Amino acid sequence: MTPIELLAPAKDFECGKAAVLAGADALYMGGPRFGARHKASNSLTDMARMSEFAHFYGAKVYAAFNTLLLDTELAEAQETLWQFYEAGVDAMIIQDMGILEMKLPPLPLFASTQTHNMTTEKVQFLEKTGFQRVILARELSLSQIKTIRSHTSIELEAFVHGALCVSHSGRCYLSYALGKRSGNRGDCAQPCREPYTLLDPQGTILEQNKHFLSLKDL
């Protein structure tokens, strides 16, 4: 049986250090830009420190580079990916498929959950494209994951703890529509966590101050 890797998020070096010392096999963390968690950005120096520390204990570090890019950012994005490589990370987690057209460092590519990986066909496509791992959509059931596993040979990653989005992974535009803060650009304001009042077509209040869009987390 293939051994299971226990992977933990690392907001910063201290969080990553704690996870490694607690037994995590690998970490994922964002760099200076282009990560899906804007408030969890790290300098390249800290990425290098984290890689060195993790490798000392036999753990790995994956760079989260999983936002959509603007055309004006492509040159900077490519430079940053090479800086990740120089910092010693072990793989890159990406969302924007335009990255595949870049001159990339020799690192494994992981398809972020932000790429909406819900079907066997999508995972097969990513496998043929050259990805080493697919991070599955958080909405999948165990039976759906089992079906995908039986029809693919690529590495699969699945979330077992954390927040769930009311929209399909990687397909939420509510934050941008309400406040011009895009979840696909690492700046989700999480409006789904706010209370709302439900009205009927005549304006009669049916429910007041309820969390209609906030799902029960994993």
Side-chain angles (χ1 to χ4, degrees):
M1 179 181 292
T2 303
I4 293 177
E5 176 187 79
L6 180 61
L7 174 63
K11 178 181 179 180
D12 52 33
F13 177 80
E14 291 303 320
C15 289
K17 178 180 177 181
V20 169
L21 294 179
D25 299 307
L27 310 168
Y28 65 90
M29 64 188 305
R33 289 195 66 191
F34 308 118
R37 297 290 180 269
H38 178 69
K39 294 183 179 180
S41 300
N42 293 277
S43 68
L44 291 168
T45 299
D46 280 345
M47 297 284 285
R49 287 177 65 211
M50 191 73 263
S51 297
E52 182 179 8
F53 182 87
H55 293 163
F56 180 82
Y57 287 93
K60 296 181 178 180
V61 175
Y62 307 140
F65 200 81
N66 50 343
T67 59
L68 297 177
L69 303 173
L70 302 177
D71 289 348
T72 55
E73 297 170 335
L74 296 180
E76 180 186 356
Q78 180 172 278
E79 181 182 6
T80 302
L81 291 171
W82 279 93
Q83 289 171 334
F84 284 155
Y85 173 65
E86 293 166 358
V89 304
D90 299 282
M92 299 182 298
I93 303 170
I94 69 169
Q95 175 187 9
D96 197 316
M97 294 298 145
I99 290 174
L100 300 178
E101 299 295 321
M102 296 179 180
K103 180 181 179 182
L104 298 175
L107 285 173
L109 293 178
F110 296 171
S112 170
T113 187
Q114 297 292 114
T115 55
H116 198 231
N117 307 317
M118 294 192 68
T119 66
T120 297
E121 292 77 13
K122 178 64 176 289
V123 176
Q124 289 173 337
F125 165 77
L126 292 169
E127 183 173 3
K128 292 177 182 177
T129 303
F131 284 89
Q132 180 173 315
R133 178 183 298 185
V134 171
I135 305 171
L136 297 172
R138 289 161 288 177
E139 301 81 27
L140 293 180
S141 65
L142 288 175
S143 62
Q144 289 171 314
I145 293 174
K146 185 176 181 180
T147 297
I148 292 174
R149 173 72 294 161
S150 65
H151 291 88
T152 59
S153 58
I154 193 172
E155 291 181 9
L156 298 179
E157 179 183 321
F159 286 86
V160 295
H161 176 71
L164 287 174
C165 180
V166 68
S167 299
H168 289 306
S169 292
R171 294 297 177 94
C172 183
Y173 303 99
L174 182 60
S175 177
Y176 185 78
L178 294 179
K180 303 303 179 183
R181 292 177 56 182
S182 173
N184 288 300
R185 295 279 294 166
D187 198 26
C188 182
Q190 296 189 320
C192 57
R193 301 299 188 183
E194 298 296 327
Y196 291 90
T197 296
L198 180 65
L199 310 177
D200 68 12
Q202 288 71 45
T204 302
I205 295 177
L206 303 178
E207 297 283 353
Q208 194 166 10
N209 293 326
K210 296 292 183 66
H211 292 84
F212 297 111
L213 302 179
S214 186
L215 300 184
K216 182 179 180 181
D217 293 335
L218 288 171

PDB file of all heavy atoms in Angstrom, residues 3 10 13 16 37 61 66-67 73-74 87 105 114 126 129 138 153 159 161 167 175 189 197 199:
ATOM      1  N   PRO A   3       2.215   4.653   1.076  1.00  0.00           N
ATOM      2  CA  PRO A   3       2.119   5.369   2.354  1.00  0.00           C
ATOM      3  C   PRO A   3       1.386   6.694   2.192  1.00  0.00           C
ATOM      4  O   PRO A   3       1.489   7.356   1.160  1.00  0.00           O
ATOM      5  CB  PRO A   3       3.583   5.582   2.749  1.00  0.00           C
ATOM      6  CG  PRO A   3       4.348   5.493   1.467  1.00  0.00           C
ATOM      7  CD  PRO A   3       3.606   4.508   0.623  1.00  0.00           C
ATOM      8  N   ALA A  10       1.144  25.951   6.511  1.00  0.00           N
ATOM      9  CA  ALA A  10       2.063  26.728   7.345  1.00  0.00           C
ATOM     10  C   ALA A  10       1.877  28.204   7.012  1.00  0.00           C
ATOM     11  O   ALA A  10       2.312  28.670   5.963  1.00  0.00           O
ATOM     12  CB  ALA A  10       3.507  26.303   7.103  1.00  0.00           C
ATOM     13  N   PHE A  13       6.796  30.725   9.302  1.00  0.00           N
ATOM     14  CA  PHE A  13       7.855  29.803   9.711  1.00  0.00           C
ATOM     15  C   PHE A  13       7.535  29.126  11.037  1.00  0.00           C
ATOM     16  O   PHE A  13       7.738  27.916  11.190  1.00  0.00           O
ATOM     17  CB  PHE A  13       9.189  30.548   9.815  1.00  0.00           C
ATOM     18  CG  PHE A  13      10.319  29.682  10.313  1.00  0.00           C
ATOM     19  CD1 PHE A  13      10.979  28.815   9.459  1.00  0.00           C
ATOM     20  CD2 PHE A  13      10.704  29.723  11.645  1.00  0.00           C
ATOM     21  CE1 PHE A  13      12.010  27.996   9.921  1.00  0.00           C
ATOM     22  CE2 PHE A  13      11.732  28.917  12.119  1.00  0.00           C
ATOM     23  CZ  PHE A  13      12.386  28.055  11.250  1.00  0.00           C
ATOM     24  N   GLY A  16       4.976  26.447  10.579  1.00  0.00           N
ATOM     25  CA  GLY A  16       5.577  25.319   9.881  1.00  0.00           C
ATOM     26  C   GLY A  16       6.498  24.519  10.776  1.00  0.00           C
ATOM     27  O   GLY A  16       6.507  23.280  10.745  1.00  0.00           O
ATOM     28  N   ARG A  37      -3.824  32.545  -0.152  1.00  0.00           N
ATOM     29  CA  ARG A  37      -4.071  33.152   1.158  1.00  0.00           C
ATOM     30  C   ARG A  37      -3.177  34.377   1.290  1.00  0.00           C
ATOM     31  O   ARG A  37      -2.031  34.289   1.707  1.00  0.00           O
ATOM     32  CB  ARG A  37      -3.781  32.150   2.282  1.00  0.00           C
ATOM     33  CG  ARG A  37      -4.662  30.923   2.266  1.00  0.00           C
ATOM     34  CD  ARG A  37      -6.097  31.240   2.634  1.00  0.00           C
ATOM     35  NE  ARG A  37      -6.948  30.055   2.622  1.00  0.00           N
ATOM     36  CZ  ARG A  37      -7.641  29.638   1.564  1.00  0.00           C
ATOM     37  NH1 ARG A  37      -7.578  30.315   0.423  1.00  0.00           N
ATOM     38  NH2 ARG A  37      -8.392  28.557   1.633  1.00  0.00           N
ATOM     39  N   VAL A  61       8.518  20.768   1.658  1.00  0.00           N
ATOM     40  CA  VAL A  61       7.822  22.055   1.615  1.00  0.00           C
ATOM     41  C   VAL A  61       7.309  22.295   0.201  1.00  0.00           C
ATOM     42  O   VAL A  61       8.075  22.211  -0.766  1.00  0.00           O
ATOM     43  CB  VAL A  61       8.748  23.216   2.035  1.00  0.00           C
ATOM     44  CG1 VAL A  61       8.034  24.555   1.873  1.00  0.00           C
ATOM     45  CG2 VAL A  61       9.209  23.039   3.476  1.00  0.00           C
ATOM     46  N   ASN A  66      -1.101  29.457  -6.121  1.00  0.00           N
ATOM     47  CA  ASN A  66      -2.377  29.010  -6.672  1.00  0.00           C
ATOM     48  C   ASN A  66      -3.429  30.108  -6.832  1.00  0.00           C
ATOM     49  O   ASN A  66      -4.565  29.968  -6.388  1.00  0.00           O
ATOM     50  CB  ASN A  66      -2.937  27.867  -5.824  1.00  0.00           C
ATOM     51  CG  ASN A  66      -2.958  28.184  -4.335  1.00  0.00           C
ATOM     52  OD1 ASN A  66      -2.289  29.093  -3.872  1.00  0.00           O
ATOM     53  ND2 ASN A  66      -3.725  27.421  -3.584  1.00  0.00           N
ATOM     54  N   THR A  67      -3.041  31.201  -7.478  1.00  0.00           N
ATOM     55  CA  THR A  67      -4.016  32.213  -7.880  1.00  0.00           C
ATOM     56  C   THR A  67      -3.995  32.351  -9.396  1.00  0.00           C
ATOM     57  O   THR A  67      -3.084  31.857 -10.069  1.00  0.00           O
ATOM     58  CB  THR A  67      -3.704  33.590  -7.262  1.00  0.00           C
ATOM     59  OG1 THR A  67      -2.395  34.003  -7.674  1.00  0.00           O
ATOM     60  CG2 THR A  67      -3.770  33.544  -5.751  1.00  0.00           C
ATOM     61  N   GLU A  73       1.539  40.184 -15.084  1.00  0.00           N
ATOM     62  CA  GLU A  73       2.265  39.570 -13.972  1.00  0.00           C
ATOM     63  C   GLU A  73       3.085  38.358 -14.391  1.00  0.00           C
ATOM     64  O   GLU A  73       3.776  37.763 -13.562  1.00  0.00           O
ATOM     65  CB  GLU A  73       1.272  39.144 -12.885  1.00  0.00           C
ATOM     66  CG  GLU A  73       0.508  40.293 -12.265  1.00  0.00           C
ATOM     67  CD  GLU A  73      -0.628  39.826 -11.372  1.00  0.00           C
ATOM     68  OE1 GLU A  73      -1.124  38.693 -11.589  1.00  0.00           O
ATOM     69  OE2 GLU A  73      -1.025  40.587 -10.471  1.00  0.00           O
ATOM     70  N   LEU A  74       3.015  37.977 -15.657  1.00  0.00           N
ATOM     71  CA  LEU A  74       3.621  36.714 -16.079  1.00  0.00           C
ATOM     72  C   LEU A  74       5.134  36.688 -15.882  1.00  0.00           C
ATOM     73  O   LEU A  74       5.694  35.687 -15.430  1.00  0.00           O
ATOM     74  CB  LEU A  74       3.267  36.429 -17.539  1.00  0.00           C
ATOM     75  CG  LEU A  74       1.771  36.219 -17.817  1.00  0.00           C
ATOM     76  CD1 LEU A  74       1.538  35.943 -19.302  1.00  0.00           C
ATOM     77  CD2 LEU A  74       1.211  35.079 -16.968  1.00  0.00           C
ATOM     78  N   ALA A  87      15.098  28.583  -3.339  1.00  0.00           N
ATOM     79  CA  ALA A  87      14.856  28.548  -1.896  1.00  0.00           C
ATOM     80  C   ALA A  87      14.776  27.122  -1.363  1.00  0.00           C
ATOM     81  O   ALA A  87      14.735  26.915  -0.147  1.00  0.00           O
ATOM     82  CB  ALA A  87      13.570  29.299  -1.558  1.00  0.00           C
ATOM     83  N   PRO A 105      11.267  25.823 -13.503  1.00  0.00           N
ATOM     84  CA  PRO A 105      12.346  25.083 -12.849  1.00  0.00           C
ATOM     85  C   PRO A 105      11.978  23.602 -12.756  1.00  0.00           C
ATOM     86  O   PRO A 105      10.796  23.243 -12.859  1.00  0.00           O
ATOM     87  CB  PRO A 105      12.417  25.731 -11.460  1.00  0.00           C
ATOM     88  CG  PRO A 105      11.053  26.288 -11.231  1.00  0.00           C
ATOM     89  CD  PRO A 105      10.569  26.731 -12.573  1.00  0.00           C
ATOM     90  N   GLN A 114      -8.031  24.624  -6.312  1.00  0.00           N
ATOM     91  CA  GLN A 114      -8.652  25.751  -7.009  1.00  0.00           C
ATOM     92  C   GLN A 114      -8.884  25.469  -8.493  1.00  0.00           C
ATOM     93  O   GLN A 114      -9.565  26.243  -9.165  1.00  0.00           O
ATOM     94  CB  GLN A 114      -7.774  26.992  -6.876  1.00  0.00           C
ATOM     95  CG  GLN A 114      -7.585  27.507  -5.465  1.00  0.00           C
ATOM     96  CD  GLN A 114      -8.853  28.069  -4.869  1.00  0.00           C
ATOM     97  OE1 GLN A 114      -9.386  27.517  -3.920  1.00  0.00           O
ATOM     98  NE2 GLN A 114      -9.360  29.139  -5.429  1.00  0.00           N
ATOM     99  N   LEU A 126      -5.307  16.148 -16.217  1.00  0.00           N
ATOM    100  CA  LEU A 126      -4.168  16.742 -15.524  1.00  0.00           C
ATOM    101  C   LEU A 126      -2.989  15.773 -15.469  1.00  0.00           C
ATOM    102  O   LEU A 126      -1.828  16.179 -15.574  1.00  0.00           O
ATOM    103  CB  LEU A 126      -4.584  17.166 -14.115  1.00  0.00           C
ATOM    104  CG  LEU A 126      -5.582  18.329 -14.055  1.00  0.00           C
ATOM    105  CD1 LEU A 126      -6.129  18.491 -12.642  1.00  0.00           C
ATOM    106  CD2 LEU A 126      -4.942  19.626 -14.531  1.00  0.00           C
ATOM    107  N   THR A 129      -1.340  15.871 -18.732  1.00  0.00           N
ATOM    108  CA  THR A 129      -0.696  17.166 -18.948  1.00  0.00           C
ATOM    109  C   THR A 129       0.687  17.233 -18.313  1.00  0.00           C
ATOM    110  O   THR A 129       1.519  18.046 -18.707  1.00  0.00           O
ATOM    111  CB  THR A 129      -1.592  18.292 -18.391  1.00  0.00           C
ATOM    112  OG1 THR A 129      -2.873  18.221 -19.030  1.00  0.00           O
ATOM    113  CG2 THR A 129      -1.002  19.663 -18.643  1.00  0.00           C
ATOM    114  N   ARG A 138     -12.690  19.791  -2.328  1.00  0.00           N
ATOM    115  CA  ARG A 138     -13.056  19.467  -0.950  1.00  0.00           C
ATOM    116  C   ARG A 138     -14.467  18.895  -0.836  1.00  0.00           C
ATOM    117  O   ARG A 138     -14.825  18.314   0.178  1.00  0.00           O
ATOM    118  CB  ARG A 138     -12.927  20.724  -0.083  1.00  0.00           C
ATOM    119  CG  ARG A 138     -11.497  21.156   0.147  1.00  0.00           C
ATOM    120  CD  ARG A 138     -11.399  22.594   0.592  1.00  0.00           C
ATOM    121  NE  ARG A 138     -11.706  23.514  -0.494  1.00  0.00           N
ATOM    122  CZ  ARG A 138     -11.744  24.833  -0.368  1.00  0.00           C
ATOM    123  NH1 ARG A 138     -11.521  25.387   0.799  1.00  0.00           N
ATOM    124  NH2 ARG A 138     -12.012  25.592  -1.406  1.00  0.00           N
ATOM    125  N   SER A 153      -3.590   6.969 -11.976  1.00  0.00           N
ATOM    126  CA  SER A 153      -2.401   6.528 -11.245  1.00  0.00           C
ATOM    127  C   SER A 153      -1.627   7.698 -10.648  1.00  0.00           C
ATOM    128  O   SER A 153      -0.632   7.502  -9.956  1.00  0.00           O
ATOM    129  CB  SER A 153      -1.476   5.734 -12.177  1.00  0.00           C
ATOM    130  OG  SER A 153      -1.098   6.517 -13.302  1.00  0.00           O
ATOM    131  N   PHE A 159      -8.326  16.877   1.365  1.00  0.00           N
ATOM    132  CA  PHE A 159      -8.423  17.569   2.645  1.00  0.00           C
ATOM    133  C   PHE A 159      -9.191  16.702   3.647  1.00  0.00           C
ATOM    134  O   PHE A 159     -10.197  16.087   3.298  1.00  0.00           O
ATOM    135  CB  PHE A 159      -9.169  18.897   2.482  1.00  0.00           C
ATOM    136  CG  PHE A 159      -8.364  19.977   1.810  1.00  0.00           C
ATOM    137  CD1 PHE A 159      -8.334  20.077   0.427  1.00  0.00           C
ATOM    138  CD2 PHE A 159      -7.643  20.891   2.556  1.00  0.00           C
ATOM    139  CE1 PHE A 159      -7.597  21.067  -0.198  1.00  0.00           C
ATOM    140  CE2 PHE A 159      -6.907  21.889   1.941  1.00  0.00           C
ATOM    141  CZ  PHE A 159      -6.881  21.978   0.564  1.00  0.00           C
ATOM    142  N   HIS A 161      -9.386  18.126   7.035  1.00  0.00           N
ATOM    143  CA  HIS A 161      -9.751  19.082   8.079  1.00  0.00           C
ATOM    144  C   HIS A 161      -9.615  20.492   7.521  1.00  0.00           C
ATOM    145  O   HIS A 161      -8.672  20.793   6.795  1.00  0.00           O
ATOM    146  CB  HIS A 161      -8.843  18.931   9.305  1.00  0.00           C
ATOM    147  CG  HIS A 161      -9.105  19.945  10.383  1.00  0.00           C
ATOM    148  ND1 HIS A 161     -10.235  19.920  11.165  1.00  0.00           N
ATOM    149  CD2 HIS A 161      -8.391  21.023  10.790  1.00  0.00           C
ATOM    150  CE1 HIS A 161     -10.207  20.927  12.017  1.00  0.00           C
ATOM    151  NE2 HIS A 161      -9.098  21.617  11.809  1.00  0.00           N
ATOM    152  N   SER A 167     -19.368  27.394  -2.525  1.00  0.00           N
ATOM    153  CA  SER A 167     -19.275  27.163  -3.963  1.00  0.00           C
ATOM    154  C   SER A 167     -18.341  25.989  -4.234  1.00  0.00           C
ATOM    155  O   SER A 167     -17.579  25.570  -3.363  1.00  0.00           O
ATOM    156  CB  SER A 167     -18.746  28.409  -4.670  1.00  0.00           C
ATOM    157  OG  SER A 167     -19.607  29.507  -4.472  1.00  0.00           O
ATOM    158  N   SER A 175     -17.188  36.992  -3.288  1.00  0.00           N
ATOM    159  CA  SER A 175     -16.386  38.006  -2.609  1.00  0.00           C
ATOM    160  C   SER A 175     -16.057  39.161  -3.547  1.00  0.00           C
ATOM    161  O   SER A 175     -16.140  40.333  -3.163  1.00  0.00           O
ATOM    162  CB  SER A 175     -15.091  37.379  -2.070  1.00  0.00           C
ATOM    163  OG  SER A 175     -14.273  38.353  -1.464  1.00  0.00           O
ATOM    164  N   ALA A 189     -12.911  37.673   1.029  1.00  0.00           N
ATOM    165  CA  ALA A 189     -13.416  38.329   2.238  1.00  0.00           C
ATOM    166  C   ALA A 189     -14.362  37.422   3.017  1.00  0.00           C
ATOM    167  O   ALA A 189     -14.878  37.817   4.062  1.00  0.00           O
ATOM    168  CB  ALA A 189     -14.136  39.621   1.866  1.00  0.00           C
ATOM    169  N   THR A 197     -30.393  37.988   5.882  1.00  0.00           N
ATOM    170  CA  THR A 197     -31.835  37.958   6.106  1.00  0.00           C
ATOM    171  C   THR A 197     -32.520  37.524   4.818  1.00  0.00           C
ATOM    172  O   THR A 197     -32.215  38.047   3.743  1.00  0.00           O
ATOM    173  CB  THR A 197     -32.351  39.339   6.543  1.00  0.00           C
ATOM    174  OG1 THR A 197     -31.772  39.668   7.817  1.00  0.00           O
ATOM    175  CG2 THR A 197     -33.870  39.349   6.676  1.00  0.00           C
ATOM    176  N   LEU A 199     -35.769  37.184   2.422  1.00  0.00           N
ATOM    177  CA  LEU A 199     -37.057  37.808   2.136  1.00  0.00           C
ATOM    178  C   LEU A 199     -37.778  37.046   1.037  1.00  0.00           C
ATOM    179  O   LEU A 199     -37.147  36.460   0.158  1.00  0.00           O
ATOM    180  CB  LEU A 199     -36.868  39.259   1.687  1.00  0.00           C
ATOM    181  CG  LEU A 199     -35.988  40.175   2.549  1.00  0.00           C
ATOM    182  CD1 LEU A 199     -35.875  41.544   1.896  1.00  0.00           C
ATOM    183  CD2 LEU A 199     -36.553  40.299   3.953  1.00  0.00           C
TER     184      LEU A 199
END
